[in-house]
Amino acid sequence: MQVFGLLGNPVGHSLSPPMHEAAYEALDIDARYVTFEPDRDAAAAAVEAAATLGIAGLNVTIPFKRDVLDAVEPDGVARRVGAVNTIDLSEGTPRGYNTDVAGVERSLAYHDVSIDGRDAVVVGAGGAGRAAAFALADAGASVHIANRTVERAASLAADVPGATAGGLETLSRVEDAQILVNATSVGMDPDDGETPVPEGNLHAGLAVLDAVYAPIETRLLREAAAVGATTIDGAWMLLFQGVEAFERWTGRAAPVDAMNEALRAELA
Ligand code: NAP
């Protein structure tokens, strides 16, 4: 039996175990997915211990995504983003990936949203914002990053090819964009009456991906749907980062529908 797992602190709320175990069941793979909660200063030791114990792969979440960079050989994307959320331990050297980037790109592709040549606005410049900005720029979009703390947006934009940055007042750029990603925590429970983007900036020509997945239907997505925009909830991003991790670990096409069903059953 293979063992996969999640490193985080805390990890009690994680939706990854049911999502991955649904994939093992669908493809008849003899594997389990378990959660690990090491001390906050023990990221590298945890990766080493997992390798020693023969664990096949790890996902990594808050607060360890940056800390594990030094404990793995990151691929180009993970190195540029500066964070690892998936580790393959099947060979000698632990290999680090950032599947949040693919999670953004594949969520949009699944909903037939083209990225190449489009204008995109990312609101937020934390971990999710970094992943979204790289995903969009690498797929050919012109990216503008709007963040409450302008310096953080500017620092991210300096790393992302062609990106521009500004404060939340620059959200008016959404009016001329075709893609909007909310990568802030605004709209999350218990503040689910809030929205990160003024309703008046939304329009029918926009595809809106909200990284927030609790609640599934945020005020931003409700207001976007009301003006005729394409809406993509945060569970899609969560799903596709897991799909990408599964495919990296197993080399097999993931059973997307089974994983999606399991994830949405947890979020219902
Ligand atoms: P993070 O690194 O802590 O970044 C938080 C971001 O939200 C920062 O840009 C912060 O701005 C902004 N923000 C917080 N409160 C705000 C407010 N009241 N007004 C305006 N901006 C505000 O967090 P993260 O890891 O990027 O996560 C952000 C969201 O994405 C969370 O809801 C998380 O659950 C979600 N997420 C989803 C997925 C998925 O797979 N669906 C993956 C990762 C994260 P400042 O820089 O000014 O503080």
Side-chain angles (χ1 to χ4, degrees), residues 57-68:
L58 290 171
N59 281 136
V60 183
T61 188
I62 291 168
F64 299 125
K65 287 187 183 186
R66 282 181 177 275
D67 295 358
V68 298

Side-chain angles (χ1 to χ4, degrees), residues 19 99-115 128 131-132 135-136 139 179-182 207-213 216 221 230-244 247 256 260 263-264:
M19 177 169 65
T99 70
D100 287 332
V101 173
V104 171
E105 201 262 325
R106 291 181 71 166
S107 295
L108 292 167
Y110 187 85
H111 290 86
D112 296 323
V113 176
S114 0
I115 303 176
L136 292 164
I179 299 171
L180 167 68
V181 177
N182 172 37
V208 182
L209 168 61
D210 198 335
V212 171
Y213 54 81
I216 276 277
L221 291 184
T230 300
T231 57
I232 305 168
D233 64 50
W236 291 107
M237 182 178 162
L238 193 59
L239 170 69
F240 280 110
Q241 64 74 31
V243 161
E244 182 83 10
E247 293 179 347
V256 174
N260 189 32
L263 179 60
R264 284 177 192 272

Side-chain angles (χ1 to χ4, degrees), residues 124-128 147-149 152 183-186 188 211-213 234 237-238:
N147 195 47
R148 180 178 60 180
T149 309
R152 211 170 171 201
T184 73
S185 47
V186 179
M188 249 175 106
V212 171
Y213 54 81
M237 182 178 162
L238 193 59

Side-chain angles (χ1 to χ4, degrees), residues 3 5 7 36 43-58 87 89 94:
V3 177
L7 282 190
F36 301 103
V47 173
E48 205 176 306
T52 305
L53 291 171
I55 288 168
L58 290 171
I87 302 175
L89 294 164

Side-chain angles (χ1 to χ4, degrees), residues 6-246:
L6 172 68
L7 282 190
N9 189 341
V11 286
H13 64 284
S14 176
L15 300 162
S16 292
M19 177 169 65
H20 282 279
E21 295 208 332
Y24 309 149
E25 196 180 326
L27 297 185
D28 206 13
I29 295 172
D30 185 16
R32 291 287 173 273
Y33 188 104
V34 294
T35 58
F36 301 103
E37 201 168 292
D39 287 343
R40 284 173 174 255
D41 59 357
V47 173
E48 205 176 306
T52 305
L53 291 171
I55 288 168
L58 290 171
N59 281 136
V60 183
T61 188
I62 291 168
F64 299 125
K65 287 187 183 186
R66 282 181 177 275
D67 295 358
V68 298
L69 266 174
D70 292 338
V72 303
E73 193 171 289
D75 78 343
V77 174
R79 187 174 288 122
R80 285 163 66 225
V81 176
V84 164
N85 80 326
T86 299
I87 302 175
D88 179 5
L89 294 164
S90 64
E91 287 168 34
T93 310
R95 308 232 178 244
Y97 303 99
N98 189 311
T99 70
D100 287 332
V101 173
V104 171
E105 201 262 325
R106 291 181 71 166
S107 295
L108 292 167
Y110 187 85
H111 290 86
D112 296 323
V113 176
S114 0
I115 303 176
D116 193 14
R118 302 300 164 103
D119 288 321
V121 174
V122 175
V123 52
R130 288 191 75 81
F134 278 101
L136 292 164
D138 285 356
S142 298
V143 179
H144 179 73
I145 302 153
N147 195 47
R148 180 178 60 180
T149 309
V150 186
E151 298 73 28
R152 211 170 171 201
S155 152
L156 172 54
D159 293 341
V160 175
T164 55
L168 295 178
E169 72 288 352
T170 63
L171 280 171
S172 54
R173 293 180 66 148
V174 170
E175 291 168 24
D176 299 315
Q178 295 82 46
I179 299 171
L180 167 68
V181 177
N182 172 37
T184 73
S185 47
V186 179
M188 249 175 106
D189 289 331
D191 298 322
D192 54 353
E194 307 285 320
T195 179
V197 180
E199 193 176 1
N201 294 149
L202 307 173
H203 56 89
L206 199 61
V208 182
L209 168 61
D210 198 335
V212 171
Y213 54 81
I216 276 277
E217 194 196 54
T218 57
R219 178 176 157 192
L220 171 63
L221 291 184
R222 266 197 311 280
E223 292 180 347
V227 297
T230 300
T231 57
I232 305 168
D233 64 50
W236 291 107
M237 182 178 162
L238 193 59
L239 170 69
F240 280 110
Q241 64 74 31
V243 161
E244 182 83 10
F246 175 91

